[in-house]
Amino acid sequence: MSVRVRFAPSPTGFLHVGSLRTTLYNYLFARHHGGTFILRVEDTDQERFVPGSYEDILASLQWAGMTPDESPETPGDCGPYIQSQRTELYRRYATDLIERGMAYYAFDTAEELTAMRDRQKAAGVAPRYDRSSMRNQYTLGEEETKRLLALGEPASVRMKVPITGEVKFNDVIRGTIVVPCKDVDDQILMKSDNFPTYHLANVVDDHEMRITHVIRGEEWLPSTPKHVLLYEAFGWEAPKFAHLPLLLNSDKTKLSKRQGDVAVRDYIAKGYFQEAFINFMALLGWNPSGNREIYSMDELIKEFNLDHVNKAGAVFDLKKLDWMNSQYMKQYVEHKLDWLTDEFMVLLAAQGIETTHDYAAKVIRLLHERITLLPDLVRFSEYMFRKPVVDEEWKATIWNDGARQLLGDLHEIIASVDATSFDSHTVHEAIGAYTKEKNVKFKDVGNTLRLAVTGKSVGAGMMDTIALLGKEETTARISGFLASN
Ligand code: GLU
């Protein structure tokens, strides 16, 4: 049987990094097995719907390069499956369960349910729908139920969970899980607004879409006994379940907004490379054999399996993400410099910086090792394109009469280097002869030049910087600096 998996987000906010990891594992699993990857939007909880989140989910997945394989069979529709467009189907299945005595109508109001919970709290018992005391098909009887339905009384449909016995299922990652039925609530399947709950729609769709493996976050584990009971009630074979470990903050608490960004869009906006981000996400909970850390998408597809997914939570370590991004930066400089330069030039242009492809590529080569993110490289390298902005605080610590004298001499030396052989080596030689003769420290030369040419205390090697800026620009900057300081 060929593998069929799905990613089933609810449009209740921007795509969370944890959801991206879930999608990625589904995607890798499908591709590894030559199977099908489906996107299904679970939007039946109208109250939790957040406008814009659907678009954000699609945009984030597209950025991540994970496009679904299958579309609904509605003519002209090429989007994902959308549950709110399939409500008729869930209603039909709910009715079917009622007819077979596996589900029942309940008429309780919100106030009645709150009162029930308060009673249970006071009595010290776990909150659970009390089938025997509430207003439902069992306590009211068939006649009254029919009458209320005919009157249009708001009714929900609840699952009839066995009072005794246990639910048992296997999780690919966690092994056998057994839950006593008495701990499973008579879950609402259809709400009084005629929309299904997550549980019903999810199970019906996984069955209808012939999903073979449900790979989802650990937070859904408590729902699984309910789902297993539903599969049994319908007489369907359940898919295999794999619940992925939680993502954690560095202090091992559950990953939260309070400790950093959790939306994929934030990382896109910061300028992380797509491949680096995917590589990083893949290793959050999955341990391929050996110590290797850098994997392309194709390599991930080849290596991925659920057997090496951990049970323990995985720390979303931003330092590791930055490290990963730097690794990709290096790789791109070596193997995809043209592409990287194009990306860089787009960012430069957004800052109003026009330059040539050749010069931009050289700036990347010169400075990339100091910077993690490409947008930061734009900020950092601004002095390679524009007159530098001087770091006044730093200047106060090194600028004095001696430095002025030195800079004047350096101007002369640099101006005397032949323009046709102006490179870092020649400039270095010329300055070296001067420092030897005058017994000047090369460190002072470097700092003074750096101040006049780049304005800030950190950067690439000074000779390389000067060589790339060129003789004319370098001498103009030095004389400009001398004139105004
Ligand atoms: N709609 C659920 C979510 O938002 C899907 C959980 C599942 O994969 O079953 O994550």
Side-chain angles (χ1 to χ4, degrees):
M1 187 171 47
S2 89
V3 161
R4 290 173 63 83
V5 294
R6 82 311 192 266
F7 171 53
S10 295
T12 54
F14 298 135
L15 188 73
H16 191 279
V17 287
S19 302
L20 187 78
R21 198 267 318 256
T22 300
T23 320
L24 178 61
Y25 285 14
N26 274 286
Y27 179 82
L28 295 176
F29 188 74
R31 286 287 169 279
H32 180 89
H33 291 282
T36 305
F37 167 68
I38 290 170
L39 174 60
R40 182 172 82 218
V41 178
E42 302 205 325
D43 60 344
T44 58
D45 193 346
Q46 303 282 300
E47 278 164 31
R48 293 183 60 225
F49 179 77
V50 174
S53 52
Y54 171 67
E55 290 75 10
D56 181 73
I57 290 168
L58 293 188
S60 302
L61 292 186
Q62 193 174 19
W63 174 80
M66 295 184 284
T67 40
D69 297 319
E70 201 175 273
S71 300
E73 278 153 22
T74 332
D77 191 348
C78 59
Y81 291 90
I82 300 192
Q83 286 190 329
S84 61
Q85 296 173 358
R86 300 160 59 83
T87 47
E88 195 41 50
L89 178 75
Y90 313 123
R91 235 166 269 155
R92 229 174 43 227
Y93 277 116
T95 312
D96 175 52
L97 282 185
I98 294 171
E99 279 166 6
R100 291 193 294 109
M102 302 293 198
Y104 59 92
Y105 289 108
F107 299 93
D108 317 285
T109 61
E111 293 74 34
E112 287 166 337
L113 290 168
T114 310
M116 174 192 81
R117 268 178 232 119
D118 289 347
R119 279 197 306 277
Q120 290 170 331
K121 211 168 170 191
V125 294
R128 209 199 130 149
Y129 183 74
D130 184 1
R131 199 188 302 158
S132 60
S133 73
M134 301 301 284
R135 288 200 306 129
N136 56 49
Q137 205 170 339
Y138 290 101
T139 52
L140 301 173
E142 293 303 322
E143 284 308 305
E144 179 63 359
T145 299
K146 270 200 199 111
R147 194 183 71 82
L148 292 177
L149 288 176
L151 283 176
E153 185 90 354
S156 52
V157 176
R158 284 183 180 268
M159 169 164 69
K160 190 180 170 199
V161 175
I163 307 281
T164 55
E166 53 190 29
V167 198
K168 194 168 162 184
F169 61 95
N170 188 59
D171 184 280
V172 177
I173 296 164
R174 278 145 225 276
T176 305
I177 295 176
V178 182
V179 179
C181 286
K182 69 171 178 41
D183 293 344
V184 184
D185 211 0
D186 273 11
Q187 195 62 52
I188 294 184
L189 301 177
M190 291 294 289
K191 292 172 288 182
S192 53
D193 64 3
N194 246 331
F195 271 92
T197 56
Y198 154 68
H199 305 287
L200 178 68
N202 187 273
V203 165
V204 165
D205 275 347
D206 282 344
H207 171 72
E208 286 270 322
M209 295 172 190
R210 306 186 316 283
I211 297 302
T212 55
H213 296 75
V214 167
I215 304 170
R216 63 184 167 201
E218 184 184 315
E219 63 274 26
W220 300 101
L221 195 55
S223 298
T224 311
K226 295 168 193 168
H227 298 181
V228 171
L229 284 171
L230 267 177
Y231 282 106
E232 284 171 10
F234 280 119
W236 298 335
E237 191 189 334
K240 291 200 165 60
F241 294 102
H243 288 89
L244 307 175
L246 286 179
L247 296 189
L248 308 175
N249 296 308
S250 46
D251 64 2
K252 301 280 166 86
T253 53
K254 191 175 168 205
L255 189 66
S256 69
K257 248 193 214 149
R258 259 166 287 127
Q259 298 200 29
D261 291 322
V262 293
V264 175
R265 58 157 40 206
D266 295 326
Y267 293 91
I268 302 176
K270 281 192 178 137
Y272 283 96
F273 293 125
Q274 183 259 0
E275 288 182 293
F277 198 69
I278 292 292
N279 193 157
F280 167 75
M281 296 297 302
L283 301 179
L284 287 179
W286 171 66
N287 277 349
S289 43
N291 291 329
R292 188 174 154 199
E293 305 231 59
I294 305 295
Y295 290 87
S296 67
M297 186 68 114
D298 284 344
E299 290 164 339
L300 289 172
I301 290 169
K302 193 157 164 269
E303 300 285 325
F304 186 79
N305 60 43
L306 289 172
D307 302 336
H308 288 143
V309 175
N310 301 330
K311 274 199 248 304
V315 174
F316 191 86
D317 182 354
L318 287 173
K319 283 204 194 81
K320 171 108 183 257
L321 173 59
D322 283 347
W323 173 83
M324 190 67 88
N325 210 72
S326 306
Q327 297 302 306
Y328 275 84
M329 181 86 88
K330 275 189 205 132
Q331 253 189 46
Y332 295 150
V333 170
E334 287 309 310
H335 306 294
K336 283 170 71 176
L337 187 58
D338 267 354
W339 169 82
L340 187 64
T341 306
D342 287 343
E343 298 284 301
F344 187 49
M345 286 181 77
V346 171
L347 298 175
L348 288 173
Q351 299 304 315
I353 297 174
E354 298 292 336
T355 185
T356 63
H357 189 92
D358 180 54
Y359 184 75
K362 285 181 176 148
V363 171
I364 295 178
R365 266 200 193 283
L366 181 69
L367 290 169
H368 76 274
E369 277 174 11
R370 276 150 222 281
I371 294 296
T372 305
L373 299 167
L374 203 55
D376 290 346
L377 186 58
V378 173
R379 282 183 278 277
F380 190 86
S381 66
E382 200 175 332
Y383 64 80
M384 295 304 293
F385 303 98
R386 284 179 172 153
K387 206 170 148 312
V389 180
V390 174
D391 175 349
E392 294 292 337
E393 225 171 279
W394 178 54
K395 185 179 120 187
T397 66
I398 63 163
W399 187 239
N400 51 36
D401 286 344
R404 185 191 311 279
Q405 174 69 42
L406 176 60
L407 190 59
D409 289 352
L410 291 168
H411 181 263
E412 223 171 277
I413 297 164
I414 295 169
S416 70
V417 175
D418 183 7
T420 53
S421 60
F422 194 87
D423 59 22
S424 66
H425 178 72
T426 327
V427 178
H428 191 271
E429 294 263 284
I431 294 177
Y434 164 82
T435 53
K436 220 178 262 163
E437 186 194 318
K438 299 267 167 157
N439 206 11
V440 181
K441 284 198 220 113
F442 215 92
K443 179 167 165 266
D444 292 336
V445 170
N447 270 340
T448 312
L449 274 181
R450 204 175 277 291
L451 178 66
V453 177
T454 75
K456 56 184 173 190
S457 61
V458 286
M462 220 33 233
M463 297 306 129
D464 291 335
T465 307
I466 288 176
L468 184 52
L469 284 169
K471 177 173 170 177
E472 201 181 312
E473 177 67 19
T474 305
T475 48
R477 285 187 185 193
I478 297 175
S479 51
F481 186 90
L482 282 169
S484 52
N485 284 282

